[in-house]
Amino acid sequence: MKVDYDAVVVGGGPAGAHTAMAVSKFSGGNLRVLLIDRNTREEFGKKTKRGWACGDAVSKRSLDHVMNKLDIRYDRPEIEHHVDGVLVISPDHETEVLFDGEGYLLNRKLWPQRMLHYLESLGVEVKFGVDARSLIAENGFVRGVRCTTSDGKPFEVRAKVVVDASGSASVLRANLPIESKMEREIDKEQDMEGTGRYILEFDRVLEDHTWFDPKFCIIHLDQFLAPGGYCWTFPKGESKVNIGLGVQKAALDRRNEAHGLKDNLSSLIDQYLKANRAIVNPRAPEGYGDLGNSYSIWQVPVRRQNDCLVANGFVVIGDAAWMPRPIDAGGIGPALYASVILGRVLVEALESNDTSESGLWSYNVNYVHEYGYQMASFEVLRRYLQTLPNDDISFGMKHFLSQDDIESIKRREHPKFPLLTNFLRVLMDGELRRRVRERPKLARSLSYVANKSRRLISLYLDYPESPGGFEGWRRRLHKELREANERLGIS
Ligand SMILES: Cc1cc2nc3c(=O)[nH]c(=O)nc-3n(C[C@H](O)[C@H](O)[C@H](O)COP(=O)(O)OP(=O)(O)OC[C@H]3O[C@@H](n4cnc5c(N)ncnc54)[C@H](O)[C@@H]3O)c2cc1C
């Protein structure tokens, strides 16, 4: 087989860029790695024509992880702001839950320029203005990519392995031309969130920490303003904000029908901005880092990651692999953890000259064990929460969420709702018993979700060590998910 490269990575977002860095770094520069991105050098990593759509928030833990493993440093100006945690506010504004834990607000336009610096210094070849159109397949293996240049000239790149990091609208995974265990599509109505945001400067004249706080990312839960999603106000400075929301299409359709409205994502974002009392005289920032990126909308997958991330000569990562966390759509952290894992697996597979499904299988196993094992349980929780009216969400946050749950969520673990799952506790605590009687269905369903999450996590910890066990495992997974959907009344 004639190859031009050992690995070709499609997409210069956080997933693709860090995977390419990791392969180069872990192989000591001995492997030929090409990264292609459809943007120009100046606009590297841009998601859509409208910009680098993102809430820009990442945990310190995730960024530290990738910096330590790849021996790179991110600082100003790509890190714009530091926060101490996230404040989640109930629909009735009566309950505030503080999840402390340091994080950063990135500048997604400038961050890729810093990534580019590291890519090039690690010896990765980067081609700009190249659109990957389809995969080349031979004898049941992916062998490369068919591309076009920005002026429409077609060409082919051949490699031992192709990494699809082209984001949530991947055409490569969707049209995978070989037999494989990888899923090609998700249910877009249920599992894709339409999201959008402004980056704005404003006059800080009204102090109300429930609407803007330079120390905390604020999440407003509101099924009317963000049906099936949530609204966010993330500080990017003392008087600068990333403000936006996400919606689930099915929930938005239901909400519009119920209220005789015709809202869409853009009109809802504008309504949320208007509702935010602390954002006075908002305007687009004029600095280079925000030019062309003040308003942007795009989609985020909020499902568990692809049940199988590998095929012969092919792997998926980041949004192309549906890695964002189902509960909050955070996709940067999982992409960074996955890049380090995938980098190691690719080096091993390429050095042993085995880029078959089974040669790449440990990427599945290692990702599931390190990060992905909880995502199906979050998918069930997210799907359930999306069905709840504002009233139930406010009630649940006030009466059923315990300090233990808050600690679990801070550790990015599934809440166990001990107030509801401990039968004796409900029996002994008169006040809790009264609350459970007030909303028996809510209490029963949350308790069911907590138990289901335990089963799903233990199923994932039993992810097959080799392709042979996969079909049986997948059947068990789908059975668990089907049961949860039926029981919780999710269509
Ligand atoms: C509005 C919004 C808010 C969000 N907020 C947050 C947040 O606050 N925190 C968080 O962690 N996550 C957030 N996310 C999710 C996060 O932005 C993504 O998970 C993350 O960017 C995924 O990185 P990626 O590298 O997989 O894909 P992307 O960042 O989408 O990068 C893909 C790259 O591939 C290029 N490309 C695509 N197709 C091709 C092709 N055919 N050929 C060549 N190049 C191609 C694209 O132009 C782009 O450069 C948000 C997403 C949205 C839309």
Side-chain angles (χ1 to χ4, degrees):
M1 176 180 78
K2 177 190 164 298
V3 291
D4 306 311
Y5 296 92
D6 292 297
V8 56
V9 179
V10 179
H18 291 93
T19 302
M21 283 182 223
V23 175
S24 220
K25 169 101 191 152
F26 299 148
S27 69
N30 284 332
L31 295 171
R32 291 158 301 161
V33 185
L34 172 72
L35 186 150
I36 59 178
D37 190 74
R38 63 179 169 207
N39 301 288
T40 59
R41 171 180 273 276
E42 292 67 36
E43 297 200 326
F44 187 55
K46 189 176 180 176
K47 288 190 187 185
T48 71
K49 286 196 170 61
R50 298 293 302 263
W52 292 257
C54 191
D56 302 336
V58 65
S59 71
K60 180 174 184 298
R61 198 177 69 123
S62 302
L63 211 61
D64 282 353
H65 176 78
V66 82
M67 291 196 294
N68 291 337
K69 297 291 176 189
L70 301 185
D71 197 18
I72 56 178
R73 285 289 155 260
Y74 293 124
D75 207 326
R76 285 187 177 274
E78 62 274 8
I79 295 180
E80 268 197 85
H81 190 66
H82 175 271
V83 286
D84 292 338
V86 181
L87 184 68
V88 179
I89 298 180
S90 65
D92 62 5
H93 278 241
E94 281 185 16
T95 311
E96 294 174 12
V97 181
L98 181 63
F99 299 96
D100 55 9
E102 289 178 75
Y104 298 119
L105 273 294
L106 296 161
N107 183 309
R108 289 285 313 253
K109 179 179 170 186
L110 301 179
W111 189 29
Q113 294 300 318
R114 193 83 187 134
M115 294 179 202
L116 206 45
H117 161 80
Y118 287 120
L119 283 163
E120 291 178 336
S121 48
L122 282 163
V124 175
E125 186 180 334
V126 185
K127 281 193 201 290
F128 305 98
V130 172
D131 204 336
R133 293 297 179 96
S134 63
L135 294 166
I136 302 167
E138 282 164 11
N139 305 324
F141 268 76
V142 170
R143 298 292 193 199
V145 213
R146 291 187 197 88
C147 307
T148 52
T149 58
S150 46
D151 49 3
K153 286 197 190 76
F155 69 100
E156 290 185 0
V157 182
R158 291 188 164 254
K160 293 180 189 163
V161 65
V162 175
V163 178
D164 180 4
S166 63
S168 58
S170 166
V171 292
L172 303 182
R173 182 215 60 237
N175 299 301
L176 181 62
I178 56 168
E179 281 282 304
S180 92
K181 300 177 173 50
M182 190 181 281
E183 298 163 281
R184 290 180 172 79
E185 272 309 345
I186 50 173
D187 178 347
K188 293 197 177 113
E189 295 256 314
Q190 292 284 349
D191 294 332
M192 197 67 99
E193 289 270 306
T195 52
R197 56 93 185 110
Y198 285 100
I199 294 175
L200 298 167
E201 286 171 348
F202 61 98
D203 295 337
R204 189 130 163 244
V205 286
L206 192 135
E207 293 296 330
D208 179 343
H209 87 280
T210 66
W211 285 106
F212 179 82
D213 188 328
K215 285 196 160 53
F216 292 97
C217 287
I218 296 175
I219 288 181
H220 290 116
L221 300 178
D222 188 330
Q223 294 278 39
F224 188 72
L225 268 178
Y230 64 82
C231 313
W232 71 83
T233 299
F234 292 173
K236 295 205 84 177
E238 294 298 315
S239 54
K240 186 175 175 188
V241 71
N242 180 316
I243 179 167
L245 54 82
V247 299
Q248 182 203 43
K249 183 168 181 317
L252 174 60
D253 290 347
R254 277 198 304 275
R255 172 258 196 207
N256 276 346
E257 203 180 310
H259 296 275
L261 295 168
K262 289 197 171 138
D263 279 313
N264 56 31
L265 180 59
S266 306
S267 67
L268 290 173
I269 296 171
D270 285 339
Q271 286 170 43
Y272 177 55
L273 175 62
K274 216 163 154 199
N276 191 317
R277 307 178 329 137
I279 311 295
V280 177
N281 187 20
R283 64 241 171 217
E286 286 175 0
Y288 172 76
D290 296 307
L291 272 189
N293 193 32
S294 180
Y295 178 68
S296 195
I297 58 178
W298 191 223
Q299 56 183 21
V300 195
V302 284
R303 211 197 74 154
R304 64 190 185 279
Q305 72 275 0
N306 201 311
D307 293 346
C308 176
L309 302 167
V310 307
N312 289 334
F314 184 68
V315 290
V316 279
I317 187 166
D319 282 16
W322 315 317
M323 283 183 173
R325 287 183 301 272
I327 199 70
D328 61 8
I332 300 172
L336 297 179
Y337 277 90
S339 305
V340 175
I341 295 166
L342 180 56
R344 286 198 201 287
V345 170
L346 288 180
V347 171
E348 212 180 297
L350 287 163
E351 285 179 351
S352 58
N353 212 12
D354 181 4
T355 54
S356 66
E357 175 188 78
S358 88
L360 296 167
W361 194 259
S362 53
Y363 172 41
N364 272 328
V365 179
N366 296 352
Y367 183 72
V368 161
H369 279 273
E370 200 170 322
Y371 206 101
Y373 64 97
Q374 301 198 84
M375 298 303 146
S377 70
F378 282 132
E379 176 184 322
V380 171
L381 178 62
R382 185 265 299 166
R383 279 188 167 217
Y384 174 60
L385 294 179
Q386 283 173 323
T387 66
L388 293 181
N390 275 344
D391 192 33
D392 272 349
I393 298 176
S394 296
F395 190 92
M397 279 180 71
K398 191 180 271 179
H399 301 297
F400 295 155
L401 201 67
S402 67
Q403 194 53 40
D404 278 357
D405 297 319
I406 294 169
E407 293 304 321
S408 299
I409 295 169
K410 267 161 52 179
R411 289 192 304 270
R412 300 228 184 277
E413 287 169 11
H414 199 289
K416 298 188 179 70
F417 300 113
L419 293 183
L420 300 171
T421 47
N422 185 335
F423 180 69
L424 264 185
R425 193 160 175 178
V426 178
L427 213 64
M428 309 289 288
D429 181 337
E431 170 68 10
L432 181 60
R433 210 167 53 241
R434 197 166 64 75
R435 297 298 179 194
V436 168
R437 279 207 199 111
E438 255 179 84
R439 306 269 165 140
K441 193 163 169 241
L442 178 66
R444 260 198 322 272
S445 298
L446 286 174
S447 162
Y448 173 82
V449 168
N451 288 327
K452 176 61 82 177
S453 94
R454 271 195 278 275
R455 292 173 64 90
L456 284 166
I457 287 170
S458 78
L459 183 59
Y460 265 86
L461 295 177
D462 199 22
Y463 191 90
E465 293 290 325
S466 64
F470 180 77
E471 288 308 336
W473 178 88
R474 173 146 69 186
R475 269 197 299 279
R476 283 160 65 205
L477 170 67
H478 286 210
K479 183 165 173 281
E480 292 284 354
L481 293 173
R482 228 179 9 256
E483 266 172 26
N485 289 342
E486 277 164 20
R487 167 74 192 265
L488 297 168
I490 300 161
S491 50

